[in-house]
Amino acid sequence: SYELTQPPSVSVSPGQTASITCSGDKLGDTYACWFQRKPGQSPVLVIYQDAKRPSGIPERFSGSNSGNTATLTISGTQAMDEADYYCQAWDSSTVLFGGGTKLTVL
Amino acid sequence: EVQLVESGGGLVQPGRSLRLSCTASGFTFGDYAMSWVRQAPGKGLEWVGFIRSKAYGGTTEYAASMKGRFSISRDDSKSIAYLQIISLKTEDTAVYYCTRSRIISGTYVFDSWGQGTLVTVSS
């Protein structure tokens, strides 16, 4: 299977747009999901099927997947969005997770 | 409300075995696949494996690095998923999460997670 690569960290100012990328050789051939994990809490699904938001996830979270890169975009980033974000995809019957990106809201 | 509660973690000596449980409520357990994901201290999420629902054969899949020592099973009558780990190693130290795996457009989506149970392997 292939690997999913994320930047270790991303910084953003409050109210600005944060973009977190996830790259993988075959990522464009499958759906990407994104999870948010805050310290001391369980992961939460924020995007599935590349761009869909589960119920309860704010509209400022959006996603895309093109070529070999999936992107999680947070518009109007808030302090509460500071967390680790993980992309995830399936390769045949195997689950792949990216290494995670720490989003810091400065 | 969907609830997943993991249990069975704790301090275990290397070489011993452990069985973790994931007790589900708030949904029809038998209709869903269930997965296990772990996170070692300071590391990222790592998929362990999953078990399909009986409607899809109840079969299991594991990460390549987990094959052989990890075994997932389920008891639909009790709404519990299990993760058995044998020959525990210090590198198995992690928080183990169970997740509900929902089929959407032919792929499984981990849409609900438990709070996790910590397994510490140390002598």
Side-chain angles (χ1 to χ4, degrees):
Chain A
S1 61
Y2 60 101
E3 294 184 349
L4 298 179
T5 302
Q6 299 179 233
S9 62
V10 168
S11 297
V12 64
S13 300
Q16 298 304 302
T17 296
S19 294
I20 300 173
T21 58
C22 173
S23 300
D25 283 347
K26 301 179 184 178
L27 193 52
D29 298 336
T30 186
Y31 285 122
C33 294
W34 290 91
F35 297 91
Q36 175 194 69
R37 186 179 179 282
K38 296 181 179 180
Q41 298 184 20
S42 304
V44 173
L45 178 70
V46 294
I47 294 289
Y48 67 98
Q49 279 191 293
D50 296 340
K52 296 182 178 180
R53 279 179 293 104
S55 174
I57 300 302
E59 290 184 6
R60 63 180 180 272
F61 287 86
S62 63
S64 64
N65 186 6
S66 179
N68 297 329
T69 302
T71 302
L72 172 69
T73 302
I74 309 173
S75 304
T77 307
Q78 300 182 10
M80 68 173 64
D81 300 328
E82 188 163 284
D84 293 329
Y85 291 86
Y86 295 87
C87 62
Q88 177 259 313
W90 284 85
D91 178 24
S92 184
S93 295
T94 298
V95 172
L96 307 175
F97 280 104
T101 297
K102 181 176 182 58
L103 177 67
T104 302
V105 183
L106 299 171
Chain B
E1 179 191 4
V2 174
Q3 282 202 321
L4 300 170
V5 179
E6 300 92 338
S7 59
L11 177 62
V12 187
Q13 291 181 328
R16 303 295 288 265
S17 299
L18 193 66
R19 188 177 78 164
L20 307 180
S21 299
C22 170
T23 302
S25 61
F27 64 100
T28 304
F29 180 79
D31 289 348
Y32 291 84
M34 297 298 295
S35 299
W36 288 89
V37 176
R38 72 180 184 181
Q39 185 164 26
K43 303 292 186 180
L45 299 175
E46 183 179 27
W47 178 66
V48 174
F50 85 117
I51 185 166
R52 297 177 177 87
S53 66
K54 291 291 195 295
Y56 288 85
T59 52
T60 53
E61 304 286 350
Y62 299 95
S65 60
M66 310 290 176
K67 288 181 180 177
R69 294 194 302 116
F70 294 76
S71 178
I72 298 173
S73 60
R74 63 188 299 155
D75 185 337
D76 290 353
S77 68
K78 296 181 179 179
S79 297
I80 300 177
Y82 299 100
L83 174 63
Q84 176 93 26
I85 314 172
I86 64 173
S87 303
L88 278 155
K89 304 176 180 181
T90 55
E91 51 263 42
D92 293 324
T93 295
V95 175
Y96 286 76
Y97 297 98
C98 73
T99 83
R100 188 179 76 166
S101 305
R102 182 177 182 183
I103 292 181
I104 301 177
S105 296
T107 62
Y108 288 101
V109 175
F110 304 151
D111 67 348
S112 295
W113 296 61
Q115 86 288 349
T117 187
L118 174 63
V119 173
T120 303
V121 184
S122 174
S123 54

